[in-house]
Structures are given as structure tokens and as C-alpha cells.
Amino acid sequence: MPIDLRSDTVTTPTEKMRDAIRDAAVGDDVYGEDPTINRLEALAAERVGKEAALFVTSGTQGNQVAVLAHTQRGDEVILEENSHIVEYEVAGLSTIAGVQPRTIKGVNGQMPLSDIVSAIREDDIHCPKTALVCLENTHGDSGGRILPLCYMEEVYKISRQHQIPIHLDGARLFNAAVGLGVDPKEITKYVNTVQFCLSKGLSAPMGSILAGPKSFIERARKWRKMLGGGMRQSGIAGAAGIVALEEMVARLEEDHVHAKKLAEGLADIEGIDIDAEGVETNMIMFSIEGLEMDSDHFIEKLKEREVLANSVGRYRIRFVTHREIANEDIDKVVEIVKRIIAEAKVSL
């Protein structure tokens, strides 16, 4: 089997998840009659300190439903310029919700507070209404960096002052919580709504959760139906999500340890440019611009040696650790990278 470092989405369900899927009590969730989904949603809402929750097919669907429920067509949404909602959700903001993104350049996912304030529109006939601020924690394009709690609090204060809600794309919320050593509620108390994935490091086969006030979730449920998200006997999938929340959160620390070890190993290799100190969760990004190859060539060399990775730029590579990556895999990957670079130097 290859060492798959492309993403934590490649995790497969545990045996306990498979048992839960097989034995799940189900009903028609569109009628609100699936007992497993009802249990999952109640559990999820409690875990993030919100009144209610909604099971959705994916993080992308959860984010789009959130924007739809928060805004009206013609509104504007403030986001970090490299956030997942902007970069990887197929322009759903504009094509589905009919809102305009107002992007701000951030550092490690943190939009400067002064820039957020400046981006909020005044009441002007020429301008759209600023209807929502979106944050992402952890921030994927920055290599899984965590938004500090003090930063979250300051953005929250701005949002309260201007009466603008905050939605958190917390696809890897539990990685952020584990990395900070806090309960997830310490993060989500600074946002109105939150989406988090069950199908990444938590290892469920599919699904995400959108949580927030009860009235908001009622609106979101209708938008989910419009987007084709009424899944009938969805407790089959939701059963794995319950196991994910009850048993898979604490072990994320192991993924973080592996990522740090991998980053430190790569940092010792000449030609690899990586900020090992900046690795905070389970994601690593590094540059090979100093080598005589681009990322596609480098990834092909890794694949020949049964290591899978993703390119995130011409010279930028991403590795993501997860439950199916063992400590010995980390050592093996470091040695493979050393060999690839050594062979490249010989051929010059």
C-alpha cells in the first residue's frame, strides 16, 4: 500500500464505524425521523456550544448553506483571499448564493483587523451590504495554521460592533482545538455559525456538520433541501459521524506529532525550504524551488516510490498526516525524499 499523504480525506472508516453503519437505526431524515441523525446533530451541537446542528453531505455544502442562510442576493461577504470558500468551492458564493466576495490578504489565515474594519461597507446606495464575515480555522492554504483565540476574539468584537455575523469554516476545527489544547467551544464561542468535517482526520466516510442558533438551522435545513441535500435514511452515514465525535478527536494529537517530525526531517535536507516551527497541526507545506525540478516532477518521483502527495503550486508540495500514517512511514518518507534529491543532483 502506498503512503498516502495527499489529504486526511483519504482516511477509511474504522471497524467500529463499519459496525455502527451496519446496525444504524434509520428513518426518513427529510421528515426529521432518522433517530441516528437526530442523535448526531444533538451531539454535534453540544460539542461546539450551539443550539442546533444540521448534517450535510460535505464541508462545501455546509459552507454554501451557511452563506445562503446568512445573506440575501446582492450582499457582500468578507473573506481571506486564499480561504477554502474562495479558492476551492467552485464560485458557489456568486453562482449559488448570489453574493459578492470581498477578499483580504491575510497572514497565516489572519486578515488584519484594520483591513476587516475598512472592508465593512457604509450605508450607501452605491454599495452592497456587508452581510457576513467568514473565517477559516485551521487555515488550509497556510499549511494548517491555527487562528489564535485572541485573534478570534478581536474579530468577534468587530462583528458585534457592526452587527455582522461570523461564519467559521472549521473543516479541521478539532485539529485547531487539539493544537491549542482547548475545548472546541473556546473557539466557536467567537462565531455565530460553524461548519466542521467528519470525513477528514475524524475518519468518517462522508459528511459535515453545520451548527448555530436554532432559527438559523431551520433556514439552513430548507436551503440544504434546495441544494439536493435531503438524504432520507442518512443515519447510515451519520452513525459513523457519532463514532468520529466520540472516539476520534483526542487521537488527532498523534497526527500533529507525526507532521512535526516529518517537517523537522525535511528541514534537514538540502534543497527543501520549510518552516518546521510553523507546523501546528497535521499539514505540511514546503518549497522545492531550489531544486532542478518542479512540483509535478517531484510528485511523480514520489509516486514511483509509492508515496502520494499533492502539488499546491509550481514548486510547492503539501503533505497531510492522518490516522493511516504510522511513525515508521514518516521515517520512510524522509529517506525517500533524500534519495530523490540525491539522484537529481547526480543527473545534473
Side-chain angles (χ1 to χ4, degrees):
M1 292 290 291
I3 300 172
D4 197 340
L5 294 166
R6 289 174 298 173
S7 176
D8 45 10
T9 60
V10 303
T11 50
T12 55
T14 65
E15 287 304 310
K16 190 161 184 178
M17 287 179 181
R18 294 174 188 272
D19 290 342
I21 289 168
R22 183 194 62 228
D23 298 333
V26 296
D28 192 326
D29 181 49
V30 176
Y31 290 125
E33 296 174 355
D34 190 302
T36 301
I37 291 299
N38 292 343
R39 180 184 165 203
L40 170 63
E41 290 174 346
L43 173 64
E46 188 281 326
R47 287 293 172 89
V48 295
K50 301 302 179 186
E51 286 184 333
L54 182 68
F55 181 60
V56 293
T57 60
S58 67
T60 295
Q61 186 180 71
N63 286 333
Q64 295 304 317
V65 166
V67 172
L68 285 161
H70 274 299
T71 67
Q72 297 182 22
R73 295 183 69 83
D75 285 346
E76 191 167 72
V77 178
I78 295 173
L79 314 95
E80 200 279 326
E81 67 176 6
N82 292 314
S83 63
H84 192 279
I85 295 176
V86 173
E87 289 290 316
Y88 303 109
E89 298 189 5
V90 206
L93 285 174
S94 54
T95 57
I96 299 175
V99 298
Q100 176 169 284
R102 187 167 175 87
T103 61
I104 296 173
K105 182 177 180 61
V107 177
N108 297 328
Q110 300 176 50
M111 297 176 284
L113 298 173
S114 59
D115 289 356
I116 295 175
V117 173
S118 297
I120 296 172
R121 300 283 191 173
E122 296 180 358
D123 186 10
D124 187 311
I125 193 172
H126 302 91
C127 302
K129 173 188 173 184
T130 302
L132 184 64
V133 174
C134 291
L135 300 176
E136 183 179 326
N137 197 9
T138 63
H139 189 264
D141 198 67
S142 297
R145 297 299 288 264
I146 301 171
L147 300 186
L149 292 179
C150 58
Y151 176 79
M152 299 279 297
E153 182 178 13
E154 290 302 314
V155 177
Y156 182 71
K157 288 177 181 178
I158 293 170
S159 78
R160 296 307 88 200
Q161 181 181 352
H162 294 273
Q163 297 184 314
I164 301 169
I166 299 176
H167 171 66
L168 176 63
D169 176 3
R172 295 180 175 88
L173 169 68
F174 292 95
N175 289 94
V178 168
L180 291 172
V182 302
D183 189 289
K185 294 174 189 176
E186 293 301 306
I187 299 173
T188 57
K189 70 182 182 182
Y190 296 123
V191 300
N192 299 85
T193 60
V194 57
Q195 176 276 127
F196 64 84
C197 290
L198 300 166
S199 60
K200 290 186 167 71
L202 300 184
S203 298
M206 66 163 285
S208 290
I209 294 291
L210 176 62
K214 185 176 180 181
S215 59
F216 170 87
I217 293 300
E218 288 172 355
R219 294 196 304 275
R221 191 176 297 276
K222 194 164 186 176
W223 283 115
R224 185 189 70 171
K225 177 64 176 173
M226 181 183 286
L227 296 180
M231 295 179 282
R232 305 303 179 182
Q233 289 75 32
S234 49
I236 291 290
I242 292 173
V243 177
L245 287 176
E246 291 181 338
E247 299 192 1
M248 304 303 289
V249 174
R251 66 147 310 281
L252 293 174
E253 177 63 26
E254 181 181 338
D255 300 339
H256 297 183
V257 170
H258 286 162
K260 179 67 79 171
K261 179 181 177 180
L262 180 53
E264 290 171 349
L266 294 174
D268 289 335
I269 303 174
E270 185 179 353
I272 299 292
D273 182 9
I274 184 170
D275 176 15
E277 288 297 317
V279 174
E280 297 178 335
T281 55
N282 67 324
M283 194 176 294
I284 299 165
M285 290 189 181
F286 60 94
S287 172
I288 57 167
E289 191 167 1
L291 303 177
E292 294 293 324
M293 67 177 80
D294 61 17
S295 58
D296 288 340
H297 186 196
F298 188 82
I299 285 172
E300 189 59 35
K301 291 294 184 182
L302 287 171
K303 189 174 181 180
E304 289 172 4
R305 294 160 174 82
E306 297 194 306
V307 175
L308 304 180
N310 273 334
S311 167
V312 285
R314 185 177 180 185
Y315 299 107
R316 201 173 178 213
I317 310 291
R318 187 182 81 167
F319 285 161
V320 184
T321 57
H322 49 79
R323 181 176 62 84
E324 296 175 17
I325 298 298
N327 189 58
E328 54 267 30
D329 293 328
I330 302 302
D331 296 329
K332 188 179 294 185
V333 170
V334 171
E335 290 305 313
I336 287 171
V337 171
K338 286 179 180 177
R339 289 201 299 270
I340 290 171
I341 293 176
E343 290 172 7
K345 289 180 178 178
V346 169
S347 64
L348 291 179

